[in-house]
Amino acid sequence: MTDSPIENRIKQLHQLLQDYNHQYYVLDEPSVPDAEYDGLMKELIQLETSYPKLKTIDSPSQKVGGKALASFSQVTHKIPMLSLDNVFSDEEWLAFVKRITDKLLNNKSIMFCAEPKLDGLAVSLRYDNGILVQAATRGDGAVGENITENVRTIKSIPLKLIGDGFPKVIEVRGEVFMPKASFDMLNQQAIKKGDKTFANPRNAAAGSLRQLDSKVTASRNLAFYAYGVGFVGDDEITLNEQWLSDSHYKRLEQLKSLGIPMCPEVKLLDNSTLVNDFYLHILSVRDELSYEIDGTVFKVDSIGQQKKLGFVARAPRWATAYKFPAQEETTKLLDVEFQVGRTGAITPVARLEPKFVGGVTVSNATLHNQDEIDRLGIKINDFVTIRRAGDVIPQIVNVQTAKRVKEQSTLPVDEQLRDIIFPKHCPVCQSSVIRAEGEAVLRCTGGLFCGAQRKEAIKHFSSRKALDIDGLGDKLVEQLVDEQLIKTPADLFKLTELDVSTIERMGHKSAQNLINGIKIAKTTTLPKFIYALGIREVGETTAANLANYFFVLDTIKTATVEELQKVPDVGVIVAKNIVQFFQQTHNKEVVSELEAAISWPIIEEKSEEQQPLKDKVFVLTGTLNQMGRSEAKAALQALGAKVSGSVSAKTHYLVAGEKAGSKLTKAQDLGINILNENDMIALIGKYE
Ligand code: 9MJ
């Protein structure tokens, strides 16, 4: 008898999920994003629910996780380590609440312990007489790997518990994770060394824990937060929970009092109506948290109620993860195009099959440079994992080589894998392309002869933080250059309404607006003018530092590399860029034309009294409603203050706007003065 299509699909899902599990849990090499895995698991569970006879004891739905690696000894968990079920929507959440309310058969409201869902690795820590004697991974839930030596190197995990009077055996369960900053550093180091990078902090944590040499683990900055308690007893065998509270939340606090880290965001909620607020709150502070999370977790707080609810095959009935929308997805690399930037850098841009990820549809991603392409080993028509976290631009994190078809010749030609080949000539002006020594990027040698560079230079010149020319958008710049009405930023000031009105679909009113916008932009400030020139690596802050140090443009034009390096934040590379810029004949001509058209107020050297906040370091965080970030920054700098991006012992004041997150917590920890927005405005007002 042949299998039905449903049986076939279930078999196929078994195979796929088993393979992906093996790659993920055993080999530490994820081949598909979590969202794809979750989708397949969901499909399998749905099919098994509809066709219970087809559910077998070896189904991956019964056993999430992989076998322990042979090279580590095995640890049998005294109480199985469960994983969590997921919900993704309000509907699914309400169904969860209904299930537990029905099962508890009482109308008493249910309290929930609300926790961020850390994206790390679940581990069990066993303390005998208060001493850490064993640490194990979850493994398949029943048996894990003995990683005691490695866990001992994690700084935040105590080797000895604080106090006394606790049971002989205490097993703590929680998540080992790698903070985002450590993850970024680890990957940067890997790129420098030409090593493979980790796709995300979770894999970095897993890879760091699964090291046979614990010195390697020690060199990685891992952290831990407890999320529960396992076996607790006065001897090896008998479970004795009397010492523990009947509240899950209070149990975590008990552990905390013994010195075990507890995530500071964990909250006790009086009832399920508060769940949505917690979810939205954590979602809003997600980017500011120092660690990666992929959702929230809600647990029935009463241990008595937890026991009544019990658990199903692999997860407790009394808890669920309410996950955030996926930040990683699979898509296909359709083609690679080469873009020429303002400084002539040629950037390969991946054209992708559009995919909804992290809240937006992504169809392009930068591939940075040849080194990045080599590192990824990516080819056109490959399946890739894309990631978009927070406001960060989409990234290609890895190539799913397992999805490559071995017999390429069986595929239609346009679906076969193709190498990405860099152009030898600029795709815009055909000038030759060079790779400067020590640089990863290729550059067009065409300079302002190159249409792309001209366009980008003018776009930058007129952008909001530069001359802020109202009515001149990117599209219009492209049209003006294409129609040969302008070649350089200086040409903007020669435009007439008549010139502009020759552009297709340009109405009289728009032409007037543009000319008016250009006229208004003729009055600016020296820092904005320097920034607008688009000198390589001279951003807003450097431009302001140059203006405040030299006061007049002529001195900057003739300054030497040595003199320039005396300016705060200007190193030898930036100094050389500035000197080179002002040496080029073409630039000299454009700058002098611009000087004839534009004016700015003279900067006078400030006396000590005019800089009452001199040497005071401020950090701004959260949403400022009245002033806005850059306005506040400029006002503080005008009074001599330094405005820094991160809180440290050197910070004098933290200005905390609405929804301030981890920076506020850190400042409080360090005992730094905290100002709200009104305090800051009052402070500025006092001196103005
Ligand atoms: C994570 N990953 O943050 C649990 N988890 O509880 C939290 N995981 C968990 N709880 C029971 N906060 C099983 C897993």
Side-chain angles (χ1 to χ4, degrees):
M1 209 174 70
T2 55
D3 289 342
S4 72
I6 287 170
E7 281 171 300
N8 276 335
R9 179 61 184 158
I10 287 181
K11 275 189 187 160
Q12 205 178 25
L13 288 169
H14 280 197
Q15 193 60 48
L16 279 173
L17 288 165
Q18 264 164 20
D19 287 350
Y20 292 159
N21 256 341
H22 181 74
Q23 284 153 4
Y24 198 99
Y25 287 104
V26 182
L27 305 177
D28 277 348
E29 272 178 11
S31 52
V32 291
D34 288 358
E36 189 167 332
Y37 180 92
D38 289 343
L40 295 173
M41 180 61 92
K42 203 168 174 178
E43 185 186 346
L44 177 62
I45 292 170
Q46 268 166 3
L47 285 173
E48 288 177 344
T49 312
S50 311
Y51 304 92
K53 279 191 186 145
L54 299 181
K55 188 168 171 174
T56 58
I57 50 160
D58 64 351
S59 166
S61 69
Q62 301 288 306
K63 183 163 88 82
V64 166
K67 283 218 170 64
L69 285 173
S71 39
F72 286 105
S73 67
Q74 295 194 333
V75 171
T76 304
H77 300 298
K78 281 182 183 298
I79 301 172
M81 281 189 81
L82 304 172
S83 58
L84 289 168
D85 263 338
N86 296 316
V87 299
F88 287 91
S89 64
D90 258 8
E91 243 183 343
E92 290 176 339
W93 165 254
L94 291 173
F96 167 80
V97 175
K98 183 169 177 347
R99 266 198 313 278
I100 57 173
T101 319
D102 288 353
K103 203 151 168 79
L104 288 174
L105 284 177
N106 66 17
N107 287 330
K108 267 211 301 198
S109 73
I110 302 168
M111 288 173 62
F112 285 94
C113 183
E115 308 169 10
K117 187 168 185 301
L118 300 158
D119 208 7
L121 207 77
V123 301
S124 140
L125 310 176
R126 183 183 149 143
Y127 288 88
D128 278 8
N129 298 313
I131 308 286
L132 177 67
V133 291
Q134 182 178 278
T137 63
R138 179 165 66 208
D140 64 5
V143 178
E145 296 154 17
N146 188 332
I147 50 162
T148 314
E149 291 308 314
N150 291 342
V151 165
R152 282 205 173 107
T153 70
I154 299 176
K155 293 188 187 72
S156 60
I157 294 182
L159 298 176
K160 188 171 189 287
L161 296 179
I162 299 169
D164 48 28
F166 41 73
K168 181 170 178 289
V169 183
I170 298 179
E171 186 199 344
V172 177
R173 287 170 177 189
E175 200 84 355
V176 167
F177 58 93
M178 184 175 283
K180 289 177 197 166
S182 317
F183 167 74
D184 290 341
M185 227 151 64
L186 183 64
N187 269 356
Q188 273 165 22
Q189 284 167 359
I191 290 171
K192 258 194 207 150
K193 284 196 257 166
D195 291 347
K196 259 174 89 173
T197 53
F198 289 105
N200 51 48
R202 178 204 168 89
N203 297 121
S208 303
L209 265 188
R210 285 241 185 77
Q211 292 284 339
L212 290 170
D213 179 0
S214 60
K215 283 203 192 80
V216 179
T217 315
S219 74
R220 310 274 171 87
N221 182 28
L222 295 172
F224 175 85
Y225 284 138
Y227 66 63
V229 184
F231 180 87
V232 175
D234 289 327
D235 58 46
E236 288 271 334
I237 310 155
T238 326
L239 185 68
N240 174 6
E241 290 187 332
Q242 269 162 19
W243 170 79
L244 289 164
S245 162
D246 183 51
S247 150
H248 173 82
Y249 180 80
K250 289 197 181 130
R251 284 184 168 192
L252 296 182
E253 285 192 324
Q254 269 181 296
L255 293 180
K256 192 174 168 190
S257 72
L258 301 179
I260 305 275
M262 171 184 176
C263 174
E265 307 295 332
V266 173
K267 272 208 170 70
L268 183 59
L269 308 180
D270 279 342
N271 58 62
S272 69
T273 62
L274 302 167
V275 156
N276 203 35
D277 283 349
F278 183 82
Y279 173 93
L280 292 175
H281 164 69
I282 296 294
L283 188 59
S284 74
V285 297
R286 179 188 201 172
D287 291 343
E288 291 188 35
L289 294 176
S290 60
Y291 46 88
E292 191 89 33
I293 57 172
D294 61 351
T296 45
V297 182
F298 297 100
K299 298 174 179 171
V300 171
D301 188 62
S302 150
I303 304 295
Q305 288 179 332
Q306 285 187 4
K307 285 189 175 145
K308 274 194 199 130
L309 290 164
F311 49 88
V312 283
R314 62 189 186 90
R317 278 209 197 90
W318 42 264
T320 192
Y322 196 152
K323 299 249 277 202
F324 295 148
Q327 291 189 315
E328 282 186 12
E329 282 290 353
T330 296
T331 188
K332 192 173 173 185
L333 177 65
L334 301 175
D335 202 359
V336 174
E337 284 170 19
F338 294 89
Q339 269 178 3
V340 188
R342 177 165 59 83
T343 58
I346 296 182
T347 312
V349 178
R351 301 282 175 230
L352 305 163
E353 218 161 65
K355 205 64 186 245
F356 194 71
V357 54
V360 295
T361 301
V362 170
S363 43
N364 301 314
T366 172
L367 278 166
H368 301 288
N369 51 49
Q370 181 76 57
D371 291 352
E372 175 76 354
I373 288 171
D374 293 345
R375 195 179 64 73
L376 288 167
I378 189 171
K379 291 175 191 282
I380 291 164
N381 285 322
D382 256 330
F383 284 96
V384 295
T385 305
I386 49 167
R387 178 178 174 80
R388 185 185 174 274
D391 297 333
V392 180
I393 50 168
Q395 268 181 302
I396 295 179
V397 290
N398 62 14
V399 176
Q400 298 176 17
T401 42
K403 284 196 177 159
R404 283 180 178 169
V405 173
K406 283 202 185 69
E407 297 299 327
Q408 285 286 311
S409 54
T410 60
L411 296 172
V413 174
D414 58 356
E415 284 177 30
Q416 291 177 10
L417 292 175
R418 268 186 288 134
D419 284 334
I420 298 164
I421 296 169
F422 271 68
K424 298 232 172 351
H425 296 278
C426 170
V428 175
C429 71
Q430 312 308 322
S431 300
S432 56
V433 157
I434 52 154
R435 181 169 174 168
E437 219 183 282
E439 275 201 25
V441 290
L442 283 183
R443 281 181 204 283
C444 160
T445 54
L448 288 185
F449 168 75
C450 174
Q453 292 182 59
R454 266 205 308 262
K455 282 178 186 169
E456 296 310 314
I458 298 168
K459 282 180 198 169
H460 173 81
F461 182 82
S462 59
S463 65
R464 203 172 49 80
K465 290 179 187 168
L467 274 257
D468 192 15
I469 303 183
D470 223 19
L472 184 57
D474 286 359
K475 183 117 207 303
L476 190 49
V477 170
E478 290 185 13
Q479 285 173 313
L480 288 167
V481 175
D482 289 341
E483 298 289 328
Q484 303 198 353
L485 288 166
I486 55 172
K487 278 202 174 106
T488 73
D491 293 340
L492 284 168
F493 300 96
K494 298 174 201 153
L495 282 176
T496 64
E497 212 180 298
L498 196 66
D499 292 335
V500 178
S501 57
T502 59
I503 288 178
E504 216 181 312
R505 281 200 286 277
M506 171 64 81
H508 169 65
K509 189 92 195 122
S510 309
Q512 226 174 20
N513 282 347
L514 174 61
I515 297 301
N516 200 32
I518 293 172
K519 198 166 143 203
I520 292 169
K522 284 182 170 185
T523 313
T524 184
T525 64
L526 180 57
K528 277 177 187 266
F529 182 78
I530 297 169
Y531 172 71
L533 294 177
I535 304 167
R536 261 170 70 193
E537 293 182 54
V538 176
E540 258 185 307
T541 310
T542 309
N545 290 344
L546 286 165
N548 291 331
Y549 187 88
F550 289 108
F551 308 116
V552 283
L553 187 65
D554 280 342
T555 331
I556 302 174
K557 281 198 240 171
T558 52
T560 62
V561 172
E562 291 72 33
E563 283 164 346
L564 286 162
Q565 278 175 263
K566 292 188 185 138
V567 178
D569 294 336
V570 174
V572 63
I573 294 176
V574 177
K576 278 186 182 166
N577 287 344
I578 297 167
V579 169
Q580 273 168 10
F581 179 90
F582 287 111
Q583 269 172 355
Q584 286 189 20
T585 315
H586 170 85
N587 290 338
K588 279 189 202 164
E589 282 166 16
V590 174
V591 171
S592 85
E593 278 182 65
L594 286 172
E595 280 183 285
I598 298 173
S599 64
W600 51 82
I602 293 167
I603 300 180
E604 282 169 26
E605 194 165 356
K606 280 191 177 151
S607 65
E608 289 279 318
E609 285 119 70
Q610 284 168 310
Q611 289 183 288
L613 301 180
K614 194 165 190 289
D615 298 330
K616 292 280 180 272
V617 181
F618 283 71
V619 173
L620 308 179
T621 189
T623 314
L624 300 178
N625 291 318
Q626 300 170 58
M627 259 192 147
R629 235 353 129 82
S630 35
E631 213 186 324
K633 187 174 167 182
L636 290 168
Q637 282 172 336
L639 295 170
K642 287 204 174 101
V643 180
S644 160
S646 56
V647 175
S648 74
K650 290 186 187 146
T651 310
H652 294 101
Y653 294 97
L654 179 93
V655 180
E658 262 177 32
K659 292 192 190 143
S662 58
K663 286 185 192 168
L664 176 57
T665 325
K666 187 162 178 195
Q668 282 164 337
D669 289 348
L670 292 172
I672 287 163
N673 292 315
I674 315 253
L675 306 180
N676 64 26
E677 187 174 0
N678 286 334
D679 298 335
M680 178 192 66
I681 292 170
L683 181 72
I684 294 169
K686 197 168 99 180
Y687 295 119
E688 269 178 358

